[in-house]
Amino acid sequence: MAKKEVGFVTMGKVAKEPKEVKDIGVGVLGYAFMGKAHTNGYKKMPVFFYPPPARPRLVALCGRTEEALAEAAKRFGFETYYTDWKTLVKDKRIQLIDNCLPNNLHAEPCIGAVEAGKHVICEKPLAGTLKEARAMYEAAEKAGVKHMTAFNYRFVPALRLAKNLIDEGFIGKILQFRAVYLQEWIMDPSFPLVWRLRKSVAGSGALGDLGAHIVDLARFLVGDFASICGMTETFIKERSLPDDPKKKGKVDVDDVFIAMVRFKNNAIGSLEASRFCAGRKNYQRIEIHGTEGSISFNLERLNELEVYSKKDKDDRMGFRNILVTESVHPFIEHWWPHGHIIGWEHTFVHEIHHLVDCIVNDKPVAPYGATFYDGLKCQEILSAIEESSEKGKWVTLPS
Ligand SMILES: NC(=O)c1ccc[n+]([C@@H]2O[C@H](COP(=O)([O-])OP(=O)(O)OC[C@H]3O[C@@H](n4cnc5c(N)ncnc54)[C@H](OP(=O)(O)O)[C@@H]3O)[C@@H](O)[C@H]2O)c1
């Protein structure tokens, strides 16, 4: 279908919205960091991915604090709000439930949602515990609904390009994988004991928060893990309680983990995540080395992908920096032309488009999207790293 050029901007396919574009009722659990990022995805998706597979209808938003929730529901454009997720799950106008709650509130609402016949997307890590993650996967499969774990970095154009290059053999057989995800935001000892630092709510620390992302990317780009050897450390063991700063509570999650991995295809690698790296804001760096070349990515430069090919002529060999902003690149035809960069929030628009397309057109969420199976495999690896750290030895992963 022809595209209409308006000045510099391609306005997408020039077509009236087909009559069959239906609404899909969406309920979002949580209205803070991720609740906002996902809601932005539902709102932007039909504007940029046009015509959309379905038009998200923002039916209901959920949280506990009514005043803040009501303000968020109004600001985001939801029709209603509920202070109890169980009420949202029962709302017949909703077909898709999006879980952006803390990790200990992933399993029960998601299982409730799929048992009510709703499609579901859940933030990472899939659950607080391995047992919960397995129950979520089994319940979603049994219900026969579409399920997705929100590993949004699979939807960064540069990382999808990396995946395409690896699949077409650009770097040959993968020998080594290296990933770090480094932040600095809890280095101050007076930073309070927020939910991310409590095992009963978060499940783990840097491991589940940041490590889950790079574990998933390792599986996405290289393949399944065979065995792992990891260590974790907690630098600050006590912190003030957020609502009573005079009292202290125990930090019972990791501040950092480091792991060595052997993949089933015999590649080897290392993974590291920390929230104690002074100067590092959101530094997710990935390097993959194969027999024919290398690929390197840095989330703080997310529009770029560095590639190196051994096939280049000797006199011009070196890393090339691809600005992944052309219409030939993954997802970019939906955005701006020629080098007009995109950002972190766009990954959620891509992810939501993929899920809604899979729901409406009965397509598989995998292999490009992460399913609850991928969430479960990631959780097995997170648990194995903890076990390895406790026992001081390598752990073999389930097949
Ligand atoms: N993909 C990514 O890049 C990424 C980034 C950050 C976080 N995450 C993941 O996203 C999830 C949410 O993290 P976040 O950073 O968005 O957390 P957050 O900013 O603390 O937001 C949590 C939300 O959950 C609500 N909530 C908490 N307990 C509740 C309950 N019992 N019933 C109903 N609502 C409740 C809170 O509202 P009230 O306080 O009013 O209840 C709040 O709106 C986590 O699993 C996290 O790992 C993913």
Side-chain angles (χ1 to χ4, degrees), residues 29-38 61-69 82-85 99-106 109 122-127 150-153 181 195-196 201-202 208-210 213 282 344 347-348 351:
L29 306 178
Y31 57 90
F33 187 14
M34 280 305 105
K36 195 191 236 181
H38 286 219
L61 190 63
C62 180
R64 288 167 304 183
T65 320
E66 186 160 3
E67 199 184 349
L69 171 64
Y82 299 116
T83 51
D84 182 356
W85 63 261
N99 190 334
C100 297
L101 299 178
N103 308 345
N104 65 327
L105 290 166
H106 286 186
C122 182
E123 262 302 341
K124 47 50 61 180
L126 184 56
F151 284 121
N152 56 308
Y153 295 123
Y181 201 163
W195 71 257
R196 281 181 162 79
V201 186
D209 190 18
L210 309 177
H213 280 299
N282 199 27
W344 177 80
T347 62
F348 299 95
E351 178 173 76

Side-chain angles (χ1 to χ4, degrees), residues 126 137 147 149 219 224 370-378 399:
L126 184 56
Y137 166 63
H147 45 89
T149 309
R219 288 189 63 250
D224 275 321
T371 62
F372 277 14
Y373 176 78
D374 296 299
L376 170 61
K377 293 315 272 182
C378 175
S399 49

Side-chain angles (χ1 to χ4, degrees), residues 106-331:
H106 286 186
E108 210 190 336
C110 283
I111 292 172
V114 300
E115 286 178 348
K118 319 282 188 190
H119 305 288
V120 66
I121 172 171
C122 182
E123 262 302 341
K124 47 50 61 180
L126 184 56
T129 67
L130 179 54
K131 194 174 163 204
E132 286 175 345
R134 191 167 292 120
M136 290 168 77
Y137 166 63
E138 285 169 1
E141 278 291 291
K142 189 173 167 205
V145 296
K146 300 289 178 195
H147 45 89
M148 186 182 221
T149 309
F151 284 121
N152 56 308
Y153 295 123
R154 290 184 178 213
F155 294 89
V156 174
L159 284 172
R160 183 62 61 83
L161 178 62
K163 166 86 174 146
N164 294 346
L165 292 175
I166 289 167
D167 288 351
E168 74 184 42
F170 181 79
I171 61 167
K173 180 177 158 41
I174 295 177
L175 303 172
Q176 271 179 266
F177 174 87
R178 185 176 309 111
V180 301
Y181 201 163
L182 313 178
Q183 299 181 345
E184 65 171 353
W185 58 276
I186 54 171
M187 291 190 73
D188 181 350
S190 66
F191 188 87
L193 190 68
V194 296
W195 71 257
R196 281 181 162 79
L197 303 178
R198 288 164 44 213
K199 192 171 176 63
S200 60
V201 186
S204 64
L207 187 60
D209 190 18
L210 309 177
H213 280 299
I214 53 176
V215 163
D216 181 66
L217 287 173
R219 288 189 63 250
F220 185 55
L221 296 170
V222 184
D224 275 321
F225 289 31
S227 55
I228 197 146
C229 180
M231 64 189 288
T232 65
E233 183 56 85
T234 304
F235 298 122
I236 295 180
K237 301 194 189 320
E238 261 194 355
R239 290 181 184 269
S240 311
L241 302 184
D243 39 15
D244 189 355
K246 285 193 194 118
K247 283 197 187 145
K248 295 235 175 202
K250 191 175 170 223
V251 178
D252 52 3
V253 298
D254 56 283
D255 287 333
V256 55
F257 88 91
I258 301 177
M260 293 184 290
V261 52
R262 182 170 289 281
F263 292 86
K264 284 188 175 161
N265 63 11
N266 270 329
I268 59 171
S270 66
L271 300 158
E272 184 178 344
S274 170
R275 303 184 289 203
F276 266 76
C277 294
R280 293 300 184 203
K281 305 297 176 189
N282 199 27
Y283 185 79
Q284 182 201 99
R285 184 148 190 116
I286 293 181
E287 289 199 332
I288 311 161
H289 308 289
T291 50
E292 304 302 321
S294 295
I295 290 178
S296 175
F297 170 78
N298 174 0
L299 182 62
E300 290 177 348
R301 298 279 180 273
L302 73 73
N303 290 276
E304 301 169 25
L305 190 71
E306 288 186 281
V307 301
Y308 178 92
S309 172
K310 279 176 66 186
K311 295 198 175 98
D312 283 348
K313 278 182 72 180
D314 286 353
D315 65 351
R316 63 211 64 178
M317 267 187 150
F319 268 96
R320 255 180 279 160
N321 190 337
I322 304 174
L323 192 59
V324 190
T325 53
E326 300 304 304
S327 58
V328 293
H329 291 134
F331 309 110

Side-chain angles (χ1 to χ4, degrees), residues 42-53:
Y42 292 108
K43 291 173 89 85
K44 296 269 168 65
M45 187 274 275
V47 176
F48 289 92
F49 287 75
Y50 190 84

